Amino acid sequence: MTEFTPTLRSRAETRLIWALCLASMVIYINLYTLQGMLPSIAEHFDVSGAQATLVLSVTSFTLAFSLLFYALLSDRIGRLVPIVMSLWLLAASNILLVFAQSFDALVWVRLLQGILLAAVPAISMAYFKEQLDPVFMLKAAAVYIMANSIGGIAGRLLGGLMAQYLSWQSSMGLIFIVTLMGVAFVTYLLPRREIKPSVIKEKINWRRKAKQDFNGFMFHLSDTQMRLAYIIGGLAFMMMVNQFSFIQLHIMAEPYGLSRFQATLIFLCYLSGTFAAWLSAKWIVRYGSMPLFRVALCLMVAGTLLTLVDTLTAIVAGFLITACGFFLTHSCCNSFVAIRATSHRAKATSLYLCCYYLGASLGGPYLMLFWHKAEWNGVVVGSMSLLVLLLVTIWRLGKHQKQVIDVSKAD
């Protein structure tokens, strides 16, 4: 890109930003649309509402581990090809959803989609870092995070609308068309030139590179503070994203009796988290991550307990508070991992995202056990158990940091 004129370079960088932001929206719409359709899925495939939550869990599971694969693959062959190929295959996979005849078939397709959904989140930030000037990089990161949130909210609300007014086949056909249009625009916008990662500009000793990759992952996993940050992110997402699945079943039942679409409006509570994430950069600089981890934990505890009050107002307020606490936790984890990773940064980020989505995949089956025992009250009990583990993990991270500081002072 160094041979571009400033005007052309700026245009190419802008196209890249919007292309990856649109790609992110396509990814999160596909990931979370079915979360907004859980009651409809339960009815169409004749399974319980709790069983229907597995369509999110299995997708998050394969997405989590595929992130590591794409991080390595893009280092080998570049960023552009894996993104474009995975998006077109994702669009094609939606045709399989149209013809899914059983819940088992639906789960298998969602397992496949989890693999395809991982490419964009695994590669985007590295793509930005390699292709953009520093000023554009900062703008890209801010807009990209907003696109993630907007895509997630839009997908869930779209799912609720389709569940209310369309059949299963019509709904999946619409998702196929939306995805196809989005992928076509992304392909058009993505600049054809890219700065190749340095690893593919020279002859590679594959055995040595594989050993370096393994050592890079182990380097971060052997770091106690990194491991604790990964666990914090995984536990927080394990609770929060799955709470949103089960609350739909709760508020559609008596005494609330909301429609399918009305129930999905609870996902607008994510907006408080988007606002908290936007402010988190200033707060982290001013106060540091550890105090914010503690504040975020208090918010999630308070929000979760507030949902026990049997009014819609209290439930909405509780989810607004919980979402704020979760996104603050997520922002602190991202910042902590980025700052602490002095080498193998892409691997550090992919490991964090792997734990993050692995938490989401495990949270569904875990909270399902509590739902079967006592419905929403049970989910709150299960959530509080996770928050206790989160408290212990945050306390251990703070204690470990204090020990490191004390040793440094002693030296």
Side-chain angles (χ1 to χ4, degrees):
M1 285 174 59
T2 54
E3 71 271 23
F4 290 5
T5 65
T7 301
L8 289 176
R9 184 174 65 182
S10 177
R11 187 182 305 158
E13 290 175 336
T14 303
R15 286 170 66 97
L16 176 64
I17 293 172
W18 288 112
L20 292 184
C21 287
L22 179 57
S24 172
M25 292 181 66
V26 170
I27 291 301
Y28 287 101
I29 286 173
N30 275 267
L31 177 59
Y32 290 120
T33 293
L34 295 193
Q35 190 179 21
M37 300 182 68
L38 293 179
S40 176
I41 291 170
E43 181 180 321
H44 181 78
F45 291 100
D46 193 24
V47 296
S48 69
Q51 282 180 289
T53 63
L54 291 176
V55 299
L56 180 63
S57 297
V58 297
T59 312
S60 299
F61 182 79
T62 50
L63 189 157
F65 291 104
S66 299
L67 288 162
L68 306 178
F69 166 74
Y70 283 112
L72 298 177
L73 178 66
S74 65
D75 279 344
R76 301 289 196 275
I77 67 174
R79 317 300 184 190
L80 179 63
V81 172
I83 286 178
V84 172
M85 289 299 296
S86 67
L87 286 173
W88 281 104
L89 289 172
L90 174 65
S93 71
N94 281 316
I95 299 175
L96 299 177
L97 291 177
V98 175
F99 298 103
Q101 297 295 315
S102 67
F103 186 71
D104 287 344
L106 174 62
V107 168
W108 280 109
V109 176
R110 291 293 286 175
L111 278 166
L112 169 64
Q113 288 191 325
I115 298 171
L116 301 173
L117 289 166
V120 172
I123 297 172
S124 290
M125 295 311 296
Y127 204 171
F128 281 146
K129 187 174 182 180
E130 289 169 356
Q131 307 295 320
L132 305 182
D133 289 338
V135 174
F136 273 80
M137 174 62 187
L138 294 175
K139 293 179 180 179
V143 178
Y144 180 76
I145 291 171
M146 290 179 62
N148 293 350
S149 177
I150 292 170
I153 295 171
R156 291 167 169 112
L157 295 181
L158 178 61
L161 276 171
M162 294 190 304
Q164 184 75 28
Y165 299 110
L166 298 178
S167 67
W168 172 260
Q169 284 77 16
S170 298
S171 298
M172 295 303 98
L174 180 58
I175 288 297
F176 168 70
I177 293 171
V178 170
T179 303
L180 191 65
M181 292 174 60
V183 171
F185 274 116
V186 171
T187 305
Y188 169 74
L189 287 172
L190 278 172
R192 294 297 175 265
R193 296 189 181 189
E194 63 172 320
I195 299 174
K196 300 290 186 180
S198 58
V199 70
I200 64 175
K201 290 182 179 180
E202 55 191 39
K203 188 175 180 180
I204 302 173
N205 183 321
W206 294 102
R207 181 176 296 180
R208 183 178 66 184
K209 182 58 184 172
K211 184 177 180 180
Q212 289 174 348
D213 289 334
F214 177 78
N215 290 339
F217 285 124
M218 293 307 299
F219 173 75
H220 295 302
L221 290 174
S222 63
D223 183 332
T224 301
Q225 293 189 42
M226 278 293 205
R227 288 201 308 272
L228 292 172
Y230 295 157
I231 294 171
I232 289 171
L235 286 172
F237 202 41
M238 182 178 183
M239 181 203 75
M240 200 278 300
V241 73
N242 290 290
Q243 276 190 354
F244 272 95
S245 293
F246 288 101
I247 196 61
Q248 293 179 85
L249 305 177
H250 180 55
I251 59 181
M252 286 180 63
E254 296 299 331
Y256 311 107
L258 298 187
S259 69
R260 292 170 180 172
F261 176 65
Q262 287 172 332
T264 60
L265 294 177
I266 193 71
F267 291 114
L268 290 173
C269 292
Y270 266 81
L271 293 173
S272 70
T274 305
F275 183 67
W278 179 55
L279 294 175
S280 64
K282 294 180 181 178
W283 292 344
I284 291 170
V285 171
R286 180 176 298 180
Y287 303 110
S289 293
M290 287 310 304
L292 293 180
F293 275 134
R294 298 183 186 107
V295 170
L297 176 63
C298 291
L299 289 173
M300 286 187 283
V301 170
T304 298
L305 292 176
L306 186 56
T307 62
L308 291 173
V309 180
D310 285 332
T311 67
L312 278 175
T313 301
I315 290 172
V316 170
F319 271 85
L320 284 168
I321 294 169
T322 299
C324 183
F326 165 73
F327 275 92
L328 187 56
T329 301
H330 183 40
S331 297
C332 288
C333 286
N334 267 318
S335 173
F336 184 90
V337 169
I339 292 171
R340 187 159 182 83
T342 55
S343 61
H344 300 287
R345 291 185 177 89
K347 295 179 180 64
T349 301
S350 62
L351 280 170
Y352 170 68
L353 289 174
C354 177
C355 293
Y356 180 77
Y357 285 106
L358 185 59
S361 70
L362 297 176
Y366 169 74
L367 290 180
M368 188 191 303
L369 299 174
F370 291 90
W371 172 266
H372 284 315
K373 291 291 184 181
E375 296 190 338
W376 181 251
N377 290 344
V379 171
V380 171
V381 172
S383 298
M384 293 305 296
S385 301
L386 294 176
L387 289 171
V388 170
L389 291 176
L390 193 58
L391 170 64
V392 172
T393 309
I394 291 172
W395 173 76
R396 286 191 61 193
L397 179 59
K399 183 179 180 181
H400 196 276
Q401 284 188 332
K402 186 176 183 299
Q403 289 174 344
V404 172
I405 293 172
D406 291 341
V407 169
S408 299
K409 288 181 178 179
D411 291 342

